[in-house]
Amino acid sequence: MSDKKLWAGRFAEPTDAFVEAFTASVEFDQRLAPYDIQGSIAHAGMLAKQGIISADERDSIVSGLLRILARIEAGEFPWSVALEDVHMNIESALTDDIGIAGKKLHTGRSRNDQVATDVRLWLRAELTDIRIKLRQLQHALLDLAEREAETILPGFTHLQTAQPITFGHHMMAWFEMLERDHDRLVDGAKRVNVMPLGAAALAGTSYPIDREFTAHELAFERPAENSLDAVSDRDFAIEFAAAASILMMHLSRMSEELILWSSAQFAFVTLSDSFCTGSSIMPQKKNPDVPELIRGKSGRVFGHLMALLTLMKSQPLAYNKDNQEDKEPLFDAVDNIKGSLKVFADMVPAISCNRDAMRAAALKGFATATDLADYLVRKGIAFRDAHEIVGKSVAHCVTKQCDLADLSLEELRDFSPQIEADVFDFLTLEGSVAARDHIGGTAPAQVRAAIARARARIS
Ligand code: ARG
């Protein structure tokens, strides 16, 4: 294949060898090849329809591009750094193959609108895949929530025991976080699905193009309104990286809880051996490497968001070579969120809950103290006074090293004569969770209703 530069007409001296490698993007942007070819086929179709090239030339371009695609897919395409990027590698190979018609493909377009189109086509496809993986993880969480709808564990604030909750409720909190991530990705996809082609280098083109036709061929919602904006805009990518960062932040929080819960000190859950690794020196170890790695990868995706924001900051209109730097962060963000979602979705069904350990932990730390205060309020005591009474009872238990439910009725009545024998119904864990029986509450019946609503929402 000829390595002749497609833009070298005005150049008297060859490119410096280091500069050639420094400015090339083909090593990473070859990943866009199927989308570059898809865009070129639509462009050639439009050029023929408008009489800018002949039908024969279009046919020859299309079959030549499909042959190139087959060679790329077979791993037989000779990518050349001298040809700089995916676009010029493919165009040059096309001309080598079909001759003069290949040289007509670039009529009425520029690499500037071409690359912006390629990245959008690529991201649109990846978004579909990411959304499928996100849904798989959500389904796994719903199944686990259903399985453990009645399981009680301590709920925390400040990582101190606060009130008893159900494990199903906790899983549904994770589900809701991911549901907002899904919404964000769907919303951002609207702004991805706009077509830059036709903007050419920056100002549009003097050929009688039909952008509506090309947009329709490529299933874009519409052509971009403004040619300068079309070649320069990367906020669709920044927005995606922001949504991806928030998603990774959520996965890092979920990971952190699994890491804590699987420690010997908590022992709330056991992760399957297939998602853990051992230590080369400490034979007893079973480390939660998968959630730890996901937690770590969140930092990497946040970094990509910063990289994209920074590369766009202060760029004058329209296209600048800076934009070539958008690809590696985007590619890496996509690869890492897809991998993290897949492994998380595979790991969740294999989480086993140690119900006894969770229950024992919920019985410690006065998790039902609020229930005692609420009980006193129902007996006519003002909430602030009830809070004070329960606080004193808790202090007494701390000295005695016992739980509220371990106190006798007489002992409890020392703190408030309004306390009667029915108090013990409210001091149990089951009574506490069952009492929170409203939309969004932790009662098992509410968790089941929330699961049913969620299934209807995402099915
Ligand atoms: N490889 C370039 C990029 O990724 C393609 C566009 C180059 N355009 C240009 N005028 N140099 O942005």
Side-chain angles (χ1 to χ4, degrees):
M1 185 163 89
S2 143
D3 274 352
K4 186 167 167 295
K5 292 196 172 20
L6 304 182
W7 42 250
R10 66 155 290 174
F11 285 76
E13 289 168 43
T15 318
D16 174 273
F18 184 77
V19 168
E20 183 171 281
F22 185 73
T23 53
S25 53
V26 67
E27 271 172 32
F28 51 86
D29 69 13
Q30 55 182 266
R31 177 170 175 156
L32 296 172
Y35 303 96
D36 193 71
I37 287 172
Q38 187 188 359
S40 289
I41 288 174
H43 180 67
M46 183 278 292
L47 291 177
K49 183 182 89 69
Q50 297 300 96
I52 302 166
I53 61 173
S54 72
D56 283 349
E57 285 166 337
R58 173 200 58 207
D59 293 346
S60 143
I61 287 172
V62 170
S63 51
L65 286 171
L66 292 176
R67 279 193 295 276
I68 291 172
L69 181 61
R71 284 165 71 197
I72 293 172
E73 283 172 349
E76 287 162 7
F77 189 82
W79 296 106
S80 153
V81 170
L83 288 168
E84 195 176 321
D85 58 23
V86 61
H87 323 293
M88 290 193 290
N89 268 266
I90 291 175
E91 191 188 320
S92 174
L94 181 68
T95 302
D96 286 351
D97 183 6
I98 65 170
I100 191 89
K103 294 188 179 179
K104 296 192 178 181
L105 171 62
H106 212 51
T107 314
R109 78 172 182 188
S110 147
R111 276 186 296 152
N112 297 351
D113 58 345
Q114 190 179 356
V115 69
T117 302
D118 292 3
V119 174
R120 285 168 184 268
L121 287 171
W122 166 81
L123 185 56
R124 185 177 74 183
E126 293 290 358
L127 275 168
T128 304
D129 193 26
I130 290 165
R131 281 163 53 191
I132 291 169
K133 291 188 161 59
L134 188 50
R135 284 295 192 228
Q136 281 163 351
L137 172 54
Q138 287 183 295
H139 278 291
L141 291 175
L142 290 178
D143 292 344
L144 183 57
E146 194 141 48
R147 201 176 84 202
E148 307 293 341
E150 314 255 346
T151 305
I152 294 177
L153 75 161
F156 300 101
T157 60
H158 313 267
L159 204 56
Q160 311 286 322
T161 297
Q163 292 172 351
I165 54 167
T166 48
F167 193 82
H169 196 50
H170 201 115
M171 291 303 99
M172 291 307 288
W174 290 3
F175 174 92
E176 287 298 324
M177 286 144 74
L178 298 179
E179 185 60 10
R180 290 191 296 279
D181 291 321
H182 189 268
D183 277 358
R184 264 184 284 275
L185 292 170
V186 171
D187 194 64
K190 289 189 287 200
R191 285 172 290 281
V192 173
N193 204 22
V194 176
M195 186 191 74
L197 267 185
L202 77 165
T205 174
S206 55
Y207 297 95
I209 58 172
D210 181 349
R211 298 185 70 211
E212 295 284 354
F213 175 85
T214 322
H216 183 262
E217 289 292 288
L218 293 171
F220 277 114
E221 186 64 34
R222 58 183 172 83
E225 280 291 332
N226 180 289
S227 63
L228 297 173
D229 181 45
V231 291
S232 136
D233 166 35
R234 294 292 181 276
D235 37 271
F236 71 91
I238 297 175
E239 219 181 320
F240 166 75
S245 294
I246 297 173
L247 168 59
M248 285 305 294
M249 177 274 291
H250 284 152
L251 294 183
S252 82
R253 297 185 64 189
M254 293 156 61
S255 296
E256 171 67 8
E257 293 192 317
L258 289 178
I259 294 162
L260 279 174
W261 290 346
S262 62
S263 68
Q265 288 67 24
F266 274 81
F268 287 1
V269 301
T270 309
L271 302 177
S272 154
D273 282 358
S274 18
F275 294 89
C276 297
T277 60
S279 156
S280 54
I281 174 169
M282 297 168 283
Q284 85 282 13
K285 295 278 274 180
K286 175 174 158 184
N287 296 326
D289 285 38
V290 166
E292 287 176 275
L293 195 54
I294 293 173
R295 191 176 59 180
K297 281 180 185 293
S298 61
R300 166 175 186 157
V301 176
F302 302 170
H304 295 326
L305 170 61
M306 284 306 122
L308 290 171
L309 277 169
T310 311
L311 91 82
M312 277 317 284
K313 181 189 172 296
S314 313
Q315 263 196 46
L317 287 169
Y319 176 87
N320 299 284
K321 184 81 167 179
D322 314 41
N323 290 348
Q324 181 165 294
E325 286 288 307
D326 65 355
K327 288 166 204 64
E328 287 161 294
L330 264 182
F331 294 165
D332 192 73
V334 162
D335 290 345
N336 281 289
I337 62 174
K338 283 195 328 191
S340 302
L341 286 171
K342 183 195 160 16
V343 77
F344 220 114
D346 291 345
M347 181 172 61
V348 164
I351 292 175
S352 83
C353 285
N354 307 329
R355 294 177 186 159
D356 293 344
M358 290 192 204
R359 186 177 178 81
L363 286 169
K364 281 188 259 165
F366 312 104
T368 56
T370 316
D371 297 271
L372 179 57
D374 292 343
Y375 170 87
L376 292 170
V377 169
R378 280 194 297 275
K379 297 281 177 182
I381 296 176
F383 182 77
R384 272 293 150 235
D385 294 332
H387 189 288
E388 171 86 14
I389 292 167
V390 179
K392 292 203 163 106
S393 325
V394 166
H396 176 70
C397 290
V398 170
T399 326
K400 269 192 76 179
Q401 295 195 338
C402 70
D403 196 61
L404 283 172
D406 300 329
L407 297 179
S408 67
L409 183 58
E410 290 67 46
E411 282 173 295
L412 282 165
R413 285 173 68 90
D414 283 346
F415 295 99
S416 170
Q418 272 91 342
I419 296 179
E420 292 166 61
D422 62 348
V423 71
F424 294 104
D425 298 343
F426 299 91
L427 294 183
T428 65
L429 299 176
E430 282 71 18
S432 173
V433 295
R436 283 153 176 82
D437 189 19
H438 52 75
I439 291 181
T442 195
Q446 290 296 339
V447 171
R448 291 213 168 82
I451 295 169
R453 287 194 300 273
R455 286 205 196 283
R457 224 189 307 162
I458 72 166
S459 60

